Amino acid sequence: MTDIWQKTLNWTPNSQQQAQFQRLYELILAGNQKLNLTRITEPQEFWEKHLWDSLCGIAPLFFRNEEQIHPLPTSPSFIDIGTGAGFPGIPIAITVNNCTVTLLDSTRKKVAFIEQIIPLLSLNNVKTITARAEKISQNTQHRQQYDIATIRAVGNPSVCAEYVLPLVKKGGLAIIYRGTWTEEETTALRNAAQQLGGVLEFTEQFYTPLSQSIRHCLYLRKVNNTPTRFPRAVGVPTQRPL
Ligand code: SAM
């Protein structure tokens, strides 16, 4: 897949990263025997929908060197909310130089699985937390502490914004991964972001390289402190999205 990585994301994995991706695939297949981690198990589909998809969201920041997005910290801290089996957080930890990645999920078994595989992937830049996003964001050790927060396949865009923006430092970014995207969703997300101290800075549209499926990533810049009333109590963001 070297050529496709390069053509589509302007980046090529080195041999160590390729070996880590291969090992991640094997470990997830093995983990799937006991846990319901993913329905995506065919090698090419796994490459496209988990590896490529995870990294397309950070490509504008780390692979394309776009002027308007910089400066980025040289040792960025990430948090991946609702990481499941580790997406997009683990591919990011494998790929971005000098980064640290915190993987958070509310399902203890999924986090236990990740804790098992991290040493097998030779990753020493990954931490894990079992918690609800609504709770961790009210904890001063985590609130407004991260350069970049990512979230994929966790909820509607306003819910995602309420989970991630409180965790991002002022000046940092939240990246919401989506499939299709509409103008109405843009309006709702702009409104939610504004209440949370963020602005929708830019949107990227991608087509996945093998099946040509549409993807969008929404980049929210944290411009003000998030008011302390956000995130609301556990369950409220999903019951009453901003
Ligand atoms: N991000 C992964 C991916 O794209 O493959 C997993 C997506 S999975 C559909 C959604 C995950 O979000 C589940 O593992 C679930 O436990 C977690 N989750 C949902 N709501 C959450 C919350 N409020 N706080 C923490 N984790 C949450």
Side-chain angles (χ1 to χ4, degrees):
M1 297 299 183
T2 312
D3 283 358
I4 313 185
W5 280 122
Q6 188 58 45
K7 265 191 212 132
T8 54
L9 299 188
N10 194 36
W11 172 80
T12 308
N14 61 30
S15 54
Q16 185 189 340
Q17 290 163 332
Q18 285 186 34
Q20 285 171 304
F21 289 157
Q22 177 66 31
R23 190 83 178 106
L24 175 61
Y25 174 56
E26 291 160 4
L27 290 166
I28 288 194
L29 283 195
N32 242 1
Q33 310 275 334
K34 291 200 203 126
L35 290 172
N36 188 11
L37 295 170
T38 181
R39 280 177 291 118
I40 298 167
T41 54
E42 289 307 311
Q44 293 211 338
E45 207 188 357
F46 183 89
W47 178 83
E48 179 181 56
K49 303 225 165 101
H50 281 324
L51 301 179
W52 187 93
D53 196 73
S54 291
L55 296 183
C56 75
I58 59 152
L61 312 182
F62 293 95
F63 305 154
R64 296 207 315 241
N65 273 330
E66 286 175 5
E67 280 296 316
Q68 75 271 20
I69 304 170
H70 284 257
L72 282 168
T74 46
S75 307
S77 55
F78 287 82
I79 186 163
D80 185 28
I81 298 296
T83 192
F87 300 105
I90 293 180
I92 290 173
I94 290 174
T95 302
V96 177
N97 288 336
N98 302 318
C99 72
T100 53
V101 180
T102 301
L103 303 172
L104 175 137
D105 203 283
S106 54
T107 307
R108 188 168 299 281
K109 280 184 182 171
K110 290 187 184 172
V111 176
F113 168 76
I114 293 175
E115 283 168 355
Q116 268 180 9
I117 70 168
I118 290 307
L120 304 176
L121 292 166
S122 309
L123 289 173
N124 52 17
N125 57 344
V126 175
K127 295 178 202 155
T128 56
I129 303 176
T130 305
R132 294 280 306 200
E134 301 93 316
K135 287 270 186 197
I136 204 79
S137 294
Q138 294 294 1
N139 176 329
T140 49
Q141 282 184 355
H142 297 282
R143 191 177 180 85
Q144 308 211 139
Q145 296 300 313
Y146 296 91
D147 296 309
I148 300 174
T150 54
I151 188 161
R152 185 181 89 153
V154 176
N156 93 26
S158 303
V159 173
C160 289
E162 189 165 352
Y163 287 167
V164 287
L165 270 172
L167 293 161
V168 176
K169 286 178 189 167
K170 243 163 113 176
L173 280 175
I175 311 174
I176 302 179
Y177 288 64
R178 303 292 298 175
T180 54
W181 188 246
T182 63
E183 271 310 304
E184 296 85 76
E185 287 176 303
T186 303
T187 309
L189 181 61
R190 278 192 200 286
N191 174 38
Q194 200 243 332
Q195 296 182 63
L196 295 160
V199 289
L200 178 59
E201 192 164 272
F202 63 103
T203 305
E204 288 270 329
Q205 180 178 300
F206 304 92
Y207 287 92
T208 63
L210 303 181
S211 61
Q212 303 295 316
S213 314
I214 197 156
R215 295 284 186 274
H216 290 84
C217 283
L218 300 316
Y219 298 82
L220 304 174
R221 180 77 65 185
K222 180 84 168 262
V223 288
N224 289 311
N225 292 335
T226 301
T228 48
R229 65 180 183 283
F230 297 120
R232 292 166 292 167
V234 167
V236 178
T238 46
Q239 285 152 18
R240 288 190 281 117
L242 290 173

